[in-house]
Amino acid sequence: MKDNHQSSQREGSDVLAELERLPRVPAPPSLLPTVLLRTGTADAYARVLTPIGPVFIACNRQGISALAREREPAQFEAEFRARFGRPVCRVEALPEPYAAALAGQLSTDVSDTAMFDLRGITDFERRVLMKALEIPRGEVRSYGWIAKEIGRPQAVRAVGTALKHNPIPLLIPCHRVVHSDGSIGEYLFGGDTKRIVLETEGAAPDVIERLGRSGVRFVANPDDGTFCLPTCGRSHLHDNFQGRGLRTERDAFAAGLRPCRDCRPAVMTS
Amino acid sequence: MSRDSTTLIIDEADLPTVLAVDLARGFEGLVLAYQDRLFSFALRLTSSPQDAEEIVQDAFIRAYNALRTYPPERRRMLVLRPWLYQIVLNVTRNRMRGRRVDQTTLDDEETKWHLLLADDETRQPEVIYERDERQGHLITMLMELPARYREAVILRYVEDLSYADMSRILEQPVGTIKSNVHRGVVLLREARTAEPDEVRS
């Protein structure tokens, strides 16, 4: 066809050649991420300042999907794709409602479970993380406590593994889970960071560990006849318990105390 | 998001199959495979980079919304190139007619995204939309053509599409298209002949 045009009308055939020479102009770099974000086929992520420094938080229409320490954007994007199987695009700020929910209250309680996108993890992992979300700010629970609460009392190690793979640390407070002897233990951001976060929340990790070393596991509340875990809001950690410490729940039951309904400290029923 | 190893390239021939099996993954591959061609096409139709980017964004979103409603078998059978060019053409026509009603938003409260692009992406090399004055004049002449001639000429000679594909895109018989291409070229030649000397030399 082109040849016909060119041969039949030589005069002006340069117009065809010129048309064919018009350069292909590459799409601007903003096109792909904008399309992926607008179709919801990519997550968005933004840099957010937290008590442990800058982090990247990713989200999509289902909720917040990931939190990681700030790093090279390309590295974060590659790791995100490897883990979640979809792309993630950097934006200036997280969209609503996440921005508002996170504003000024990171590592407090984003306890609205609907805010998190936990697709792609096992049912067991989800139950562990949802249970961790129930631990109030300023308090800690043990791995064994989580295992018991989700009806898998033998699965203490698996609870530890699930928390280690928490895709949204800090917001899902896996840092509030410590060893049953009170030692703070490891954290996916490092044990020192775990202490800092707990300190920020008012959980006094040093006191928790000292009590643990002294053998105290529970605290009696003679006023209302209950006993609690040491960091339970009802047990007044700050007064060092002055003689109210208990080593075993057997001791507590022997003293005629009932387990606290808030922190549910007992493994035995009575 | 950088266009490096973190993005995935799917062979164009495999795209319909991937779209049938995994729409989200296939769609990213589709955007990567077609964004430059479709942007170029929209740019030649409108001669405005801003319009072209918005048109292609909207076109991809329409494509995605359609793909979501298609059963996997239909996605597998899609002939992507004419299908996508047709969507771009329709979005462009709507805009050129002044119908700026955005029908592509996914819902009423669609998020406004403010991308943060890497330095190497914002510091783009100077994009060349036209090489010289002569090319600029050609683009002006194209824009002055009636739309039916402009579309036909661009699809045929700039985008190098077959008459079979053009027939799908323009929903016209090949004879009509050939006649429009011919008429468009004749008008361009006339305009070129009538052009001022300084451009011609």
Side-chain angles (χ1 to χ4, degrees), chain A residues 94-253:
Chain A
L94 292 177
E96 300 301 341
Y98 310 118
L102 298 178
Q105 59 154 359
L106 264 184
S107 97
T108 65
D109 296 294
V110 184
S111 54
D112 179 1
T113 55
M115 294 254 314
F116 299 106
D117 172 18
L118 291 174
R119 289 172 295 171
I121 67 172
T122 66
D123 184 54
F124 176 81
E125 288 170 326
R126 191 188 330 272
R127 280 155 64 211
V128 168
L129 295 179
M130 290 297 103
K131 185 51 74 176
L133 266 176
E134 292 179 15
I135 308 171
R137 176 182 168 85
E139 302 186 16
V140 296
R141 300 288 183 269
S142 69
Y143 297 96
W145 181 87
I146 298 244
K148 179 198 71 175
E149 285 274 318
I150 63 170
R152 298 280 304 277
Q154 304 303 312
V156 179
R157 282 181 90 86
V159 166
T161 307
L163 291 171
K164 200 169 89 184
H165 294 118
N166 177 8
I168 317 167
L170 219 55
L171 296 177
I172 297 179
C174 55
H175 57 271
R176 293 177 194 159
V177 185
V178 302
H179 291 293
S180 54
D181 66 0
S183 57
I184 299 303
E186 267 310 306
Y187 184 37
L188 43 67
F189 289 152
D192 290 345
T193 306
K194 189 172 186 175
R195 306 183 77 90
I196 292 169
V197 179
L198 288 173
E199 197 79 60
T200 311
E201 297 184 338
D206 293 346
V207 178
I208 292 168
E209 286 197 324
R210 194 168 64 242
L211 276 172
R213 275 197 303 274
S214 70
V216 170
R217 297 290 176 269
F218 306 100
V219 178
N221 300 309
D223 292 350
D224 60 6
T226 63
F227 70 103
C228 291
L229 292 168
T231 60
C232 176
R234 300 173 68 175
S235 62
H236 309 295
L237 182 65
H238 56 83
D239 69 6
N240 267 347
F241 307 135
Q242 292 160 342
R244 296 193 285 126
L246 300 160
R247 287 171 172 272
T248 67
E249 58 187 274
R250 191 176 300 274
D251 294 347
F253 287 122

